[in-house]
Amino acid sequence: VGIVFGSGAVIATLSSSEGAKRYIQSELKKMGTNIVRVHANPGNPNNLGYRDKELLQKFSPTLNKVTLGVFVPGAQVRQGPTQIGIAVLGVEPDFFQISGLQADRGRFFDGLEDSQLRLVAVIGATTKKNLFGKHNAVGRYVYLVINKLLVPLQVAGVLKEKGGPQAATIDEVIFVPFRSLLRLAPEKNNAFLSLLSVNDYQSERTK
């Protein structure tokens, strides 16, 4: 299992310039300095799943929330005459809050839509521009190409542009309900991702 996390402490080691520190701090804030991402090592046949999530929630007092996600790289999405290669992420609804994402138009999908395997999507800002240009995307459909079939996904929302180091992973992807993607592409899933929002130890110490 690999673990990657952000920490504001890295600012002091990157630069002594106050201006540079402020810039770096801004970029780290975009990434989420209290988020830990856990993923299975490449080639590991044992992906992370609900059992891992339950154990983390039960035995780690430092965690506020745990969500599961699954990543399908190199997918194809079509809208009208336009078809693009794109990464598709299946996420639980809490993913958006944990990652500090905001909707520019529309809304996020909810737990009911996830449990009912609804075919809905939240798309990044760049994805919206590539598929819809300046036209409204909310309520319209994009088509996920799976095994030569076109699976319709109704756009529930469009994310605010993230920019910075997360642009490629947020602005240029499509998010669908976690269970929906597991059902649509069980053989194409790359690996599970667990996103963990950890408590702020500084805040705990000052209480």
Side-chain angles (χ1 to χ4, degrees):
V1 173
I3 301 177
V4 181
F5 60 93
S7 172
V10 74
I11 296 170
T13 66
L14 290 176
S15 175
S16 60
S17 164
E18 287 301 319
K21 287 181 185 179
R22 285 193 296 270
Y23 170 77
I24 295 167
Q25 188 170 26
S26 173
E27 294 303 303
L28 286 172
K29 185 176 180 181
K30 291 179 183 178
M31 291 190 290
T33 55
N34 67 333
I35 296 174
V36 179
R37 291 178 173 85
V38 182
H39 58 89
N41 288 325
N44 187 336
N46 299 312
N47 278 329
L48 300 174
Y50 287 109
R51 178 60 176 165
D52 303 284
K53 175 181 176 179
E54 291 172 359
L55 289 173
L56 286 167
Q57 289 174 318
K58 183 176 181 180
F59 294 108
S60 178
T62 65
L63 300 180
N64 289 329
K65 291 186 178 181
V66 181
T67 71
L68 283 168
V70 64
F71 174 61
V72 178
Q76 294 287 316
V77 175
R78 181 181 299 178
Q79 207 291 316
T82 303
Q83 181 167 319
I84 60 174
I86 200 167
V88 179
L89 276 74
V91 297
E92 295 181 303
D94 280 345
F95 169 90
F96 300 107
Q97 180 184 0
I98 288 176
S99 299
L101 301 178
Q102 296 179 315
D104 183 48
R105 296 286 181 89
R107 61 176 180 83
F108 302 132
F109 46 78
D110 57 30
L112 181 62
E113 289 169 314
D114 185 33
S115 65
Q116 294 183 346
L117 309 179
R118 296 286 182 85
L119 299 178
V120 295
V122 174
I123 64 178
T126 302
T127 300
K128 185 267 179 189
K129 293 175 185 176
N130 290 339
L131 293 176
F132 294 96
K134 295 182 179 180
H135 299 289
N136 179 39
V138 176
R140 299 178 66 184
Y141 286 85
V142 297
Y143 295 85
L144 182 60
V145 182
I146 298 179
N147 298 327
K148 298 183 180 179
L149 298 176
L150 296 180
V151 179
L153 301 172
Q154 187 173 33
V155 178
V158 178
L159 295 174
K160 286 187 176 180
E161 188 171 6
K162 192 72 173 178
Q166 280 193 319
T169 56
I170 299 297
D171 296 339
E172 301 176 8
V173 303
I174 288 181
F175 298 94
V176 300
F178 177 71
R179 291 169 179 82
S180 298
L181 190 57
L182 286 181
R183 179 71 177 273
L184 288 172
E187 77 286 357
K188 296 181 181 296
N189 296 332
N190 186 37
F192 283 99
L193 304 176
S194 187
L195 308 181
L196 319 176
S197 181
V198 299
N199 290 329
D200 186 336
Y201 287 102
Q202 184 64 35
S203 297
E204 294 293 326
R205 287 198 297 267
T206 57
K207 288 182 180 180

